[in-house]
Amino acid sequence: MCVMSDATSPSESPDFDAMTRDIAEVPAVEVIVTVAVNLMSAAAVKLGLTEDGDAHKDLDEARKLVHALAGLLDASATEISSFHAAPLRDGLKSLQLAFREASSVPDEVGQGPGEKYTGPVYG
């Protein structure tokens, strides 16, 4: 027996018009910040920084997420205010430092995840 977890049954299609209207009302800055926070959260999990610790630790995946976050923040720097950008940059730096600490063979300074966009990160 297959049980669906949402309100849409297999015979009903999602209301894409309503979904489009909903996202159309969201300011771009909010979308960018939400994506950045999701990347930060996923990177923290993959770095083993959650209550579960090493249960989900995967440094290869963490590297990809941190690098993507750095690229997003670099690309959107002129689009989001410093009010939004400053805490995101601080979080990114914390993740980059956590990655360096978690690595058994740390990258050279300037070669870590996202440092292509942020410049070298020192501990």
Side-chain angles (χ1 to χ4, degrees):
M1 176 179 193
C2 179
V3 177
M4 301 208 40
S5 61
D6 62 348
T8 306
S9 69
S11 62
E12 295 178 24
S13 63
D15 185 356
F16 290 114
D17 290 336
M19 292 167 66
T20 301
R21 279 192 305 274
D22 289 346
I23 201 153
E25 296 170 8
V26 179
V29 170
E30 190 174 326
V31 173
I32 293 167
V33 170
T34 299
V35 170
V37 169
N38 285 331
L39 287 168
M40 291 175 81
S41 298
V45 169
K46 297 298 183 178
L47 285 168
L49 302 176
T50 61
E51 287 182 15
D52 295 337
D54 291 342
H56 303 288
K57 190 172 183 177
D58 184 335
L59 294 183
D60 184 51
E61 291 290 303
R63 175 183 295 277
K64 294 170 187 170
L65 292 163
V66 171
H67 190 76
L69 174 61
L72 173 64
L73 294 181
D74 183 57
S76 62
T78 59
E79 307 302 326
I80 61 177
S81 67
S82 59
F83 174 79
H84 294 294
L88 294 173
R89 282 192 303 266
D90 290 345
L92 170 60
K93 183 176 180 181
S94 294
L95 290 169
Q96 289 171 311
L97 291 170
F99 184 90
R100 187 174 305 283
E101 290 175 12
S103 299
S104 57
V105 181
D107 297 315
E108 293 291 323
V109 173
Q111 301 301 310
E115 291 183 43
K116 167 184 174 181
Y117 301 108
T118 64
V121 174
Y122 300 96

